[in-house]
Amino acid sequence: MAKFFKYKTTADLEAENARLNLDLRFSDDLSPLSQPVTVGTRTVGNRWCIHPMEGCDGNLDGTPGELTFRRYQRFGGGGAKLIWGEACAVNDEGRANPRQIALNPRTRDEFAKLVEQTRQAHRDSLGDDSDLLFGLQLTHSGRYSVKPIIATHDPLLDPRTVVNKATGQKVTADYPIITDDELKRLVDDYVATAKLAVEVGFDFLDVKQCHRYLLNELLGARNRPGPYGGSFENRTRLAREIFTALKAVVPSNVLLATRMNGFDSIPYHKGDNDDGQPDPWTAPLANGWGMSESDPFTPDLAEPIRWVQEMRTLGVDLVNVALGNPYAQPHFGRPFEYPPPDGYESPEHPLTGVDRHFKCAEAVQRANPGLAIVGTGYSYLQEFFPQAGAANVRDGRITFVGVGRASLAQPDWVKQLQDNGKMDRKRVCRTFSYCTALMREKNHPLGQYPTGCPPFDKEAYGEIWKEVLELKVKK
Ligand SMILES: Cc1cc2nc3c(=O)[nH]c(=O)nc-3n(C[C@H](O)[C@H](O)[C@H](O)COP(=O)(O)O)c2cc1C
Ligand code: SF4
């Protein structure tokens, strides 16, 4: 099994960076991370963002569950001033799993509690929450909904998209695509959910366009006929309609945001030596976002940058840049040391994946000076991610440092840095992928296991992890 991460100091990482010919930077001066910054009409107290991290621990009715409340209390008290709430479905059909949270009139009050408790935890721990922004990711899971809803036929993803878990049946050529009218009607679902999100006190609303969920699939739907496919204007149409509608109903103190893929790439599978290998493909590729029809391995950011520039004119003030598809090629989105169970060994040095994240986010930031851009890909750097974040903020490569898995392992890393000058080395994410493994485990009475960090949050996930391992042994 590959083991790449053997670095004891930033000097070791700098040497590796030179060897691999990357552009990773590190700075021991962490002060850029404590600088407040203006985002639209709001001020955010520091440059730390907790990425959206679904816990798959909601109740079947879409309300946040016990573990959801616990997670956000820990995030709230942790010290990051930008908390990017997780994927929340805008309607029932768009849920990715039966425990995905969903905001609607029936669940509204529990979401209000979630916001209040998160802010209270922040006040208890940090004193002031006036510079804390807590947002919500509005999502429709499209192809990855419990029953797949596809925006277009994708010759590479269709054969991997399971329609019926019992029979293993996959999407075939005669599987219907969501119609133009159905897409148009979704605008109302986004508006209704956004209104409730504003009512319960969220500070920003992310219209999710990443990880190949519905709106991301549309961005790349070159082969979809009609008004929502083909040209750039058509592929961005639904998101444009959603932002326009939201702008009309969302008050100016609540920001519009988006998490957008910079680059989709194509699916990988486990090949020789368990290493990831791209699925066989031929040019021109039927669809895809942030890549040319003839090269699915190199980001081509012309369209994503053009779209971000246009979204600014639609009122979007905050953009989080993501990559890839967590189901089809996890190494792009979440560079890892150990693969998730449905994955493969990293086909590249994971630092190359980190560097790709940093370069994509930098390109979007440089093309949009003054726009708040959140970067991704930091957890792989283990205890050295603060130094990388500080250098990236210092050099204007990024506005916010977004932290995903590492905030499950150590949600209070900002407090640790503030109070002790360093992170708690005993709770540093080692990118073991147990959290992704839990996410993939459906053999649970509610149809979905909750996820968190079993190695470093044993109190909540130790027993859950044991149970899943026992299930695997029985199988
Ligand atoms: C358990 C888990 C849940 C996640 N949930 C979401 C989510 O709800 N929305 C989203 O955009 N990304 C989600 N992600 C992706 C992360 O936000 C992040 O992009 C990814 O983990 C890479 O960042 P990292 O290297 O800091 O972990 C999730 C990742 C994990 C491991
Ligand atoms: S289970 Fe914990 S240590 Fe492993 S990748 Fe997830 S957050 Fe990191």
Side-chain angles (χ1 to χ4, degrees):
M1 193 176 278
K3 279 211 182 89
F4 299 97
F5 203 97
K6 294 182 173 153
Y7 318 109
K8 300 271 179 265
T9 62
T10 47
D12 294 344
L13 273 161
E14 275 161 354
E16 191 76 321
N17 174 59
R19 190 182 72 80
L20 295 168
N21 196 21
L22 307 176
D23 188 14
L24 302 174
R25 307 175 197 180
F26 299 90
S27 166
D28 286 333
D29 173 11
L30 303 186
S31 61
L33 296 165
S34 330
Q35 299 306 310
V37 62
T38 302
V39 184
T41 53
R42 306 292 294 269
T43 299
V44 184
N46 61 33
R47 303 305 184 95
W48 287 117
C49 170
I50 296 185
H51 273 319
M53 297 293 291
E54 205 177 341
C56 309
D57 47 18
N59 299 311
L60 294 182
D61 65 358
T63 46
E66 225 175 279
L67 285 171
T68 327
F69 281 101
R70 177 183 183 271
R71 190 168 58 263
Y72 283 95
Q73 277 172 21
R74 285 156 59 92
F75 287 168
K81 291 284 186 180
L82 191 63
I83 302 180
W84 201 294
E86 70 201 65
C88 170
V90 295
N91 64 24
D92 268 355
E93 306 78 64
R95 281 168 96 183
N97 67 71
R99 300 186 70 178
Q100 184 167 60
I101 55 169
L103 175 55
N104 56 48
R106 296 181 307 282
T107 61
R108 177 198 178 283
D109 292 352
E110 291 300 300
F111 275 83
K113 267 190 222 159
L114 186 75
V115 173
E116 185 38 42
Q117 290 185 10
T118 304
R119 300 199 78 92
Q120 185 62 51
H122 194 80
R123 287 193 293 273
D124 291 347
S125 168
L126 283 302
D128 177 21
D129 71 336
S130 63
D131 55 358
L132 166 73
L133 260 57
F134 180 21
L136 187 65
Q137 181 171 71
L138 308 183
T139 193
H140 186 298
S141 298
R143 176 177 293 275
Y144 298 107
S145 302
V146 173
K147 177 174 184 291
I149 296 174
I150 61 170
T152 191
H153 280 287
D154 186 309
L156 295 174
L157 289 176
D158 284 3
R160 293 167 162 250
T161 308
V162 180
V163 177
N164 183 329
K165 290 210 173 66
T167 62
Q169 184 201 338
K170 310 276 173 35
V171 165
T172 46
D174 56 351
Y175 195 79
I177 61 172
I178 184 169
T179 65
D180 295 342
D181 282 347
E182 286 166 334
L183 286 177
K184 216 171 180 40
R185 282 202 293 276
L186 284 181
V187 177
D188 296 337
D189 292 343
Y190 278 87
V191 168
T193 314
K195 281 182 175 166
L196 290 169
V198 171
E199 270 175 44
V200 302
F202 284 107
D203 300 297
F204 66 91
L205 306 176
D206 162 20
V207 175
K208 184 178 193 174
Q209 305 181 76
C210 64
H211 301 155
R212 291 294 285 213
Y213 294 106
L214 186 74
L215 290 177
N216 182 187
E217 181 152 275
L218 275 173
L219 289 179
R222 289 195 285 257
N223 65 350
R224 181 184 165 102
Y228 293 106
S231 66
F232 171 86
E233 200 199 346
N234 285 356
R235 286 181 278 122
T236 51
R237 185 180 303 280
L238 184 61
R240 186 182 302 104
E241 289 173 347
I242 293 169
F243 284 121
T244 306
L246 293 192
K247 191 71 194 159
V249 296
V250 170
S252 62
N253 65 326
V254 176
L255 307 178
L256 296 188
T258 191
R259 192 165 206 212
M260 180 198 75
N261 255 19
F263 163 63
D264 288 352
S265 194
I266 57 167
Y268 277 59
H269 60 275
K270 207 184 261 193
D272 301 340
N273 307 324
D274 290 347
D275 280 355
Q277 280 182 6
D279 286 4
W281 63 282
T282 46
L285 285 153
N287 45 50
W289 173 248
M291 62 203 217
S292 79
E293 293 172 341
S294 54
D295 177 5
F297 307 112
T298 314
D300 173 354
L301 294 171
E303 284 198 342
I305 285 175
R306 179 177 164 196
W307 179 222
V308 171
Q309 286 167 337
E310 187 181 336
M311 285 192 285
R312 281 184 96 169
T313 68
L314 298 171
V316 172
D317 284 317
L318 182 61
V319 176
N320 187 327
V321 180
L323 299 180
N325 175 332
Y327 308 96
Q329 7 83 335
H331 71 286
F332 281 109
R334 306 171 188 173
F336 53 77
E337 194 68 357
Y338 298 102
D342 56 344
Y344 43 73
E345 296 292 341
S346 188
E348 63 184 5
H349 195 297
L351 288 177
T352 306
V354 174
D355 186 62
R356 184 184 298 108
H357 266 294
F358 289 2
K359 283 180 177 150
C360 285
E362 176 179 18
V364 177
Q365 179 73 82
R366 300 254 183 246
N368 289 278
L371 182 65
I373 305 288
V374 182
T376 300
Y378 288 86
S379 293
Y380 183 75
L381 295 171
Q382 302 198 7
E383 59 264 52
F384 306 108
F385 76 74
Q387 283 85 346
N392 287 347
V393 171
R394 175 199 66 197
D395 293 349
R397 303 180 85 192
I398 205 68
T399 311
F400 288 100
V401 177
V403 181
R405 290 162 293 179
S407 45
L408 295 179
Q410 186 171 160
D412 58 339
W413 85 89
V414 180
K415 279 279 287 171
Q416 294 290 332
L417 288 171
Q418 279 171 4
D419 297 348
N420 308 320
K422 55 180 191 235
M423 290 171 62
D424 175 1
R425 290 209 64 228
K426 294 202 185 94
R427 293 181 294 132
V428 172
C429 171
R430 305 287 176 196
T431 65
F432 294 151
S433 297
Y434 292 6
C435 46
T436 308
L438 282 176
M439 243 182 149
R440 300 286 177 261
E441 188 52 60
K442 311 288 172 192
N443 193 357
H444 182 278
L446 299 182
Q448 172 67 51
Y449 264 91
T451 187
C453 179
F456 302 119
D457 186 5
K458 285 203 174 63
E459 177 192 308
Y461 298 97
E463 285 305 309
I464 294 173
W465 182 246
K466 253 196 219 160
E467 205 177 299
V468 167
L469 288 183
E470 277 161 21
L471 274 177
K472 292 209 177 304
V473 171
K474 271 189 207 149
K475 253 193 220 165

